[in-house]
Amino acid sequence: PPPPSDTRREGDTQAAGAVAATDATAEGDVNGSGSGGGSSSSSRFVRSGQEHDGGGGEGRAVPANVVRLEPCGAGKCKHGIDPLAPPVTRTWWVKSFSVTGSLDQLRARRAIFNGGCEDNVRHDVWKYLLGMHAFSSTYGERVAERKAHTARYATLKSAWDCLDAKRALPISDDGFAAMRLIIQKDVVRTDRALDFYRGDDNAHLTVMHDVLLTYSAVYNSALGYQQGMSDILSPILVVMKGVESDAFWAFAGAMDLVGYGFERDQAGMHLQLSHMRNLIRTLDPAFYTYLCDINALNLFFCFRWFFLHFKREFAMADVMRLWESVWAQYGTPFFHLFVGLAIIEGHRKRLIDAVHDADELFEYMNGLALKLDARHTLRRAQEMLCATLRHPDLPGEVRCMLLM
C-alpha cells in the first residue's frame, strides 16, 4: 500500500543502495566466514565517552555499559526476563532511588526491559537510558548536569543561530544552507498527523528543526544530516515535552545507539544484518535455508526495520514502548534483532509456503507496516532472548552478541 502523504520512503531508498554491499557479506556468512564474529562494541555508532564536537564531556553523561548476563539453565529464566511484567510506574521509580539519589542499574534496566514505562514517568526514565544521567548519579550531580546541558546546548546552537551571520561552523556556508533546506523539508513532513505536531504554526516543528540543525551542522558535522533523523527525533521530542535542550541531548544519546544506520559507508548496518543472519541460521535453520533458496540472504527486507528502529512498523505509542526495551540494553545491545525475529516468526510459514522470490518477500514485509501486534511481537522477542540464553551450544558469533 502507498505510504501516508506526510511520510517519506527514505528507509527503502537507502536500503536499495545497501543491497549490493550486503550481498558479498551474505556470501561470506554462507561459507561461515562472515563478519558476525566481530566485536559487539562495533554496534555502537559512537564509542563510549566520545564527543562529536570535541568538547570536554560536559554535555551529557557517558552511557553505562549493557548489563551482562550468564547463560540460563533449564526452567524459569534466572535473569528475571518476564514478558508479562507490569510497566514501571512513577511510584516504583521514585521509591527506587537511594538516599543519595542513585539507582540500582541492574534492577532498573531489567524492569524497563520487561515492562517498559508508564507515560507519566517515561520523560525521566529516558534521560537515563539515553545517557543524560548516569544510574549512579546523585541528586546534586543531576542538578549540575541539567544546568550544564542547557548551557552547553545554547553554546552549540549559537554557532549557527547568530544575528550577525558570522557563524562559527565546521562546514561551508553553502553546505549549511543546503543542509538547512533539507531539514526544513523533512520537518514539515514528519508525524504531522499527531496532535503534538499538527498545525502550520506549531512551535514543536521549530524545535525539531533547531535540534536537527544544531546536531548535524555543529555537534556531529562529520556525519551531517541525513533523511530519517527526523523520524528518530520525533518520538523523543514528544517524550521530552518539547523542551529543546532535553530533546537535543536525548537525541544525541539515541544516535549513539542507533546511528549506525546513518553511517555513510554503511559498515554499522552491514554488521547488524550480518548478526541477523547469524541469529536466523542458529535459531531457525529452516528459514535460513529458505532465504538461501530465494536469494534473499542480503536481508533487504530488514533494512528499514533497523534503519528507523521499527518507526514505520508500529504506532507512536508502541514505538516508544519498543525503544525503551531496546535501549535498556539488558543482556544485549542487539535486542532489536530479536524484535525482527519475532516478526519473521509470525509469518514464516506463509512466507515459506507462498513467497518464492526476494522481491515478493520485500513487498510482503513492507506491507506489514502498522498491521503488526506490537505487544505480541515484543513479548515473543523477549521470550526468544531468554531461549537463546538457554541455548546449549551457541556459536561464538552469537555469544558475542549476548555479551555472555
Side-chain angles (χ1 to χ4, degrees), residues 56-317:
E58 68 275 27
R60 61 185 183 83
V62 175
N65 291 330
V66 296
V67 179
R68 295 175 180 269
L69 305 178
E70 294 300 324
C72 274
K76 185 177 180 180
C77 178
K78 69 179 182 181
H79 305 300
I81 295 177
D82 182 5
L84 300 179
V88 170
T89 64
R90 174 157 292 281
T91 299
W92 186 97
W93 185 251
V94 170
K95 290 183 177 180
S96 296
F97 288 94
S98 70
V99 174
T100 60
S102 63
L103 286 164
D104 181 329
Q105 179 178 185
L106 175 63
R107 180 172 179 264
R109 287 186 181 274
R110 180 172 57 229
I112 297 163
F113 172 80
N114 280 334
C117 309
E118 290 189 343
D119 290 341
N120 64 358
V121 74
R122 181 169 283 131
H123 170 268
D124 298 324
V125 171
W126 280 27
K127 291 182 177 182
Y128 288 83
L129 296 179
L130 296 176
M132 294 175 68
H133 300 308
F135 284 86
S136 59
S137 63
T138 65
Y139 292 118
E141 288 170 343
R142 289 194 292 277
V143 171
E145 285 169 354
R146 283 191 288 271
K147 292 180 180 178
H149 290 159
T150 302
R152 179 71 176 143
Y153 177 68
T155 299
L156 292 169
K157 185 177 178 180
S158 68
W160 66 267
D161 186 24
C162 45
L163 296 177
D164 59 8
K166 293 181 180 179
R167 303 185 180 95
L169 293 173
I171 61 176
S172 68
D173 287 346
D174 289 344
F176 175 78
M179 178 185 295
R180 188 169 194 171
L181 181 61
I182 295 173
I183 291 174
Q184 288 171 343
K185 290 180 178 179
D186 282 356
V187 164
V188 298
R189 295 182 294 184
T190 301
D191 291 331
R192 296 303 303 280
L194 296 178
D195 289 341
F196 191 83
Y197 294 112
R198 187 173 287 135
D200 293 337
D201 298 322
N202 192 307
H204 297 135
L205 301 180
T206 302
V207 173
M208 181 184 288
H209 167 274
D210 291 358
V211 167
L212 291 171
L213 193 57
T214 302
Y215 179 87
S216 303
V218 185
Y219 184 73
N220 194 1
S221 59
L223 176 65
Y225 179 76
Q226 296 187 46
Q227 287 187 319
M229 289 183 178
S230 61
D231 282 292
I232 302 299
L233 174 58
S234 175
I236 293 172
L237 185 57
V238 172
V239 171
M240 294 299 147
K241 304 175 182 178
V243 177
E244 189 167 338
S245 175
D246 286 351
F248 175 85
W249 293 113
F251 175 68
M255 288 295 291
D256 287 357
L257 299 174
V258 307
Y260 54 78
F262 300 97
E263 291 176 313
R264 288 187 173 86
D265 63 3
Q266 292 295 310
M269 181 60 77
H270 295 164
L271 180 65
Q272 306 298 313
L273 297 175
S274 178
H275 282 320
M276 186 67 171
R277 280 188 289 273
N278 290 328
L279 275 178
I280 295 173
R281 182 168 53 192
T282 300
L283 302 180
D284 194 348
F287 192 75
Y288 186 87
T289 299
Y290 161 75
L291 293 175
C292 292
D293 291 343
I294 67 169
N295 196 29
L297 271 184
N298 53 38
L299 301 187
F300 185 22
F301 66 93
C302 295
F303 192 97
R304 188 178 72 184
W305 296 351
F306 304 152
F307 175 52
L308 296 179
H309 248 49
F310 302 97
K311 171 67 162 42
R312 298 286 174 81
E313 318 315 315
F314 301 104
M316 177 70 81

